[in-house]
Amino acid sequence: MARADTPQLVRAEAKFVRTSARKARLVLDHIRGRTVPEARTVLAFTPRAAATDIEKVLRSAVANAEANHGLDGDRLVIVKAYANEGPTLKRWKTRARGRVNRIFKRTCHITIVLEQAPQAARPQRRAAKPAAESAPAPAETPAETEAPAEEKPKRRTRKKTEEVPA
């Protein structure tokens, strides 16, 4: 039986996903530590193919949290997100002169662990204030009010030399 002060962890795992673990880790690094709505936005605009598989696992983890534990899906944070290597399918491709090349079709197991975010960690939005009211105007120094600033001398131009006719 879980105590009230221990956080409730919810996880989902997709096994034998047909992408390499290295490629999946690149996408998982972007969403680790984010809230679920932020992670969904990041995954929606990530061009990598692994993002669709990871989005499915995230949806499954949120569904597990809502159905099994009664948690609010929008208040969940991704605590852990990792991809372990799965079995590798070994295939052969025929080449010239009776040779073959090996082809490794790699798989991975994607795991996402969610936790309920604490109430205090959520930032509170404030009403927007105009810039003039929020920052006081700097006080003028007496030197600026008494004498005007000296003008910079104009840039010198090269004098044209007169050619002496020979």
Side-chain angles (χ1 to χ4, degrees):
M1 189 161 152
R3 293 186 352 216
D5 58 344
T6 60
Q8 183 68 44
L9 297 178
V10 181
R11 64 179 260 162
E13 187 172 5
K15 291 191 165 195
F16 308 105
V17 177
R18 274 290 291 120
T19 185
S20 70
R22 185 175 180 177
K23 292 176 182 178
R25 286 181 193 126
L26 290 172
V27 179
L28 288 170
D29 290 341
H30 290 300
I31 65 168
R32 193 176 296 115
R34 295 184 185 264
T35 62
V36 170
E38 287 176 7
R40 283 183 171 155
T41 305
V42 169
L43 290 173
F45 292 103
T46 302
R48 293 187 171 270
T52 57
D53 295 323
I54 292 170
E55 208 274 328
K56 287 179 184 178
V57 178
L58 180 63
R59 249 189 288 135
S60 176
V62 171
N64 291 343
E66 291 174 347
N68 300 338
H69 303 286
L71 301 175
D72 182 17
D74 291 337
R75 292 192 51 237
L76 297 173
V77 175
I78 299 173
V79 179
K80 295 179 188 175
Y82 53 90
N84 295 330
E85 290 183 10
T88 301
L89 305 173
K90 291 159 182 103
R91 301 292 180 259
W92 305 98
K93 184 174 184 179
T94 57
R95 306 302 291 181
R97 295 166 58 188
R99 297 179 183 171
V100 292
N101 278 358
R102 282 179 270 176
I103 297 175
F104 296 124
K105 298 191 173 190
R106 301 185 185 275
T107 63
C108 68
H109 307 310
I110 300 170
T111 306
I112 294 180
V113 180
L114 302 176
E115 176 184 72
Q116 182 111 19
Q119 279 291 83
R122 197 167 205 178
Q124 299 295 325
R125 297 202 173 212
R126 298 181 190 170
K129 294 182 181 178
E133 293 178 16
S134 62
E140 294 183 12
T141 58
E144 291 177 353
T145 56
E146 294 172 4
E150 294 181 16
E151 292 183 24
K152 291 183 180 178
K154 292 185 178 180
R155 199 165 131 192
R156 294 183 185 174
T157 57
R158 286 189 177 175
K159 294 180 181 177
K160 293 184 180 179
T161 56
E162 295 180 17
E163 294 183 18
V164 180

